[in-house]
C-alpha cells in the first residue's frame, strides 16, 4: 500500500464516529481465530515479533495480527508518525506472517468491538505484556469496569507475558491477587517470553537510533526503514 493511501485510510479511521478497524497488508479476509497484539509500535521491535510467535503457538489460534490505534489512553503521537509505524509493520510482515491492522479505539474492550464489527466471523484473542495487563484492570479508564469487561472476557482470551523487569511470577501474582482479574483468571493465559526479547523496548530502540548506534532490538527490515527515513534523529 502506498504511503499516501496508508495516511488517508488512517485519517478515515480516525474521523469515523463508529468503532472500526482496517487492514493494511493486502491480505485476504481474516479467518479463524486471530491473536492480536495491540501496541504503539514506535518502532516495532523483536519483542513484538516474539510475542506474536508465542501467541501463534497456542492451540486454536490460526493467525496473528499487529494492531495500531489512532488513539491512545495515555500517549500522544511523537517519534514516528502513525503512517510510518504502519510502514514499519509492513516491512516486518515481509519476513513474518502477520496481518497489519489499525483501529480508531484506544481501550482493549473497545478495540474488540471494532475488530468484530470490521471482520465478522473471526474470533480474537489479545496478546499483552505486564503494563498493558495492569492498564486493562485500571478503574480510571471505565465508568463501571466489571460490567464493561464482562462481555470482553466472554468473547476473548488474554495471552499475558512477562516484559522488561516484570517476571512471569509477577504477572501470575497480579492475575491471582487482583479481584476482577482473578474472576476472569480462566480467560488469562500467562506465558513466558524469553528473557532477551522480553527486555527489548521501543524506547531503547529510539535512543539507539537517536545516537546513531546499531539497532539490535528491531527486526532488520525495520532497522533499514528507520535508517532510510532518518527516524528518531
Amino acid at each position: 500500500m502506498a504511503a499516501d493511501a496508508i495516511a488517508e485510510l488512517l485519517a478515515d479511521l480516525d474521523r469515523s464516529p463508529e468503532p472500526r478497524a482496517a487492514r493494511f497488508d493486502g491480505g485476504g479476509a481474516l479467518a479463524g481465530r486471530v491473536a492480536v497484539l495491540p501496541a504503539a509500535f514506535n518502532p516495532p521491535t523483536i519483542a513484538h515479533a516474539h510475542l506474536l510467535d508465542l501467541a501463534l503457538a497456542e492451540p486454536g489460534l490460526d493467525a496473528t495480527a499487529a494492531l495500531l490505534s489512532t488513539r491512545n489512553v495515555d500517549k500522544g503521537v511523537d517519534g514516528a508518525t502513525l503512517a510510518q509505524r504502519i510502514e514499519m509493520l509492513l516491512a516486518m510482515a515481509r519476513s513474518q506472517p502477520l496481518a497489519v491492522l489499525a483501529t480508531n479505539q484506544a481501550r482493549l474492550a473497545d478495540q474488540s468491538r471494532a475488530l468484530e464489527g470490521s471482520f465478522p466471523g473471526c474470533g480474537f484473542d489479545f496478546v499483552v505484556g505486564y503494563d498493558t495487563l495492569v492498564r486493562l484492570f485500571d478503574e480510571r479508564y471505565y465508568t463501571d469496569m466489571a460490567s464493561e469487561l464482562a462481555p470482553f472476557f466472554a468473547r476473548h482470551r488474554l495471552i499475558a507475558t512477562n516484559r522488561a523487569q516484570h517476571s512471569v511470577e509477577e504477572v501470575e501474582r497480579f492475575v491471582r491477587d487482583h479481584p476482577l482479574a482473578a474472576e476472569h483468571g480462566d480467560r488469562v493465559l500467562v506465558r513466558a517470553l524469553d528473557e532477551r526479547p522480553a527486555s527489548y523496548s521501543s524506547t531503547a530502540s529510539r535512543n539507539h537510533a537517536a545516537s546513531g548506534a546499531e539497532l539490535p532490538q528491531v527486526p532488520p527490515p525495520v532497522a533499514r526503514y528507520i535508517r532510510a527515513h532518518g527516524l528518531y534523529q
Side-chain angles (χ1 to χ4, degrees):
M1 182 179 285
D4 56 350
I6 291 172
E8 178 54 35
L9 183 50
L10 285 167
D12 184 56
L13 270 177
D14 199 45
R15 286 191 298 263
S16 175
E18 301 298 325
R20 284 182 53 204
R23 187 171 185 178
F24 290 78
D25 59 287
L30 289 175
R33 193 157 194 90
V34 182
V36 177
L37 174 61
F41 302 111
N42 186 29
T45 68
I46 289 172
H48 293 130
H50 277 257
L51 285 166
L52 289 163
D53 284 340
L54 184 68
L56 192 56
E58 288 297 327
L61 284 168
D62 304 298
T64 59
L67 180 66
L68 178 70
S69 176
T70 63
R71 303 165 191 174
N72 193 295
V73 294
D74 285 325
K75 302 175 185 176
V77 176
D78 55 11
T81 67
L82 294 178
Q84 288 172 328
R85 299 180 201 190
I86 290 291
E87 288 186 318
M88 286 189 281
L89 287 170
L90 291 173
M92 190 169 92
R94 295 187 192 111
S95 58
Q96 178 177 4
L98 65 110
V100 178
L101 312 177
T103 179
N104 58 2
Q105 298 299 302
R107 302 185 313 170
L108 262 65
D110 300 321
Q111 290 175 356
S112 72
R113 293 191 297 118
L115 289 167
E116 289 174 327
S118 300
F119 304 105
C122 283
F124 297 96
D125 293 327
F126 287 82
V127 189
V128 298
Y130 179 82
D131 289 345
T132 304
L133 175 69
V134 171
R135 198 158 50 243
L136 177 66
F137 291 101
D138 189 329
E139 292 185 355
R140 290 180 298 163
Y141 303 121
Y142 304 91
T143 302
D144 184 338
M145 183 169 67
S147 64
E148 291 177 68
L149 285 180
F152 175 86
F153 280 106
R155 300 191 303 275
H156 314 290
R157 297 178 300 176
L158 287 182
I159 301 168
T161 75
N162 52 302
R163 289 288 281 117
Q165 71 271 28
H166 301 290
S167 66
V168 171
E169 291 74 21
E170 191 170 353
V171 178
E172 291 173 334
R173 185 163 56 250
F174 177 85
V175 175
R176 183 181 64 247
D177 293 347
H178 189 287
L180 191 56
E183 181 180 331
H184 298 290
D186 62 331
R187 303 291 284 171
V188 181
L189 311 178
V190 178
R191 298 293 183 261
L193 186 65
D194 289 344
E195 182 177 354
R196 177 167 290 182
S199 70
Y200 290 170
S201 74
S202 294
T203 300
S205 298
R206 293 194 300 273
N207 291 339
H208 288 148
S211 67
E214 294 300 313
L215 300 169
Q217 298 192 8
V218 303
V222 175
R224 289 192 290 270
Y225 183 96
I226 291 170
R227 293 301 187 211
H229 292 80
L231 293 184
Y232 312 118
Q233 294 296 304

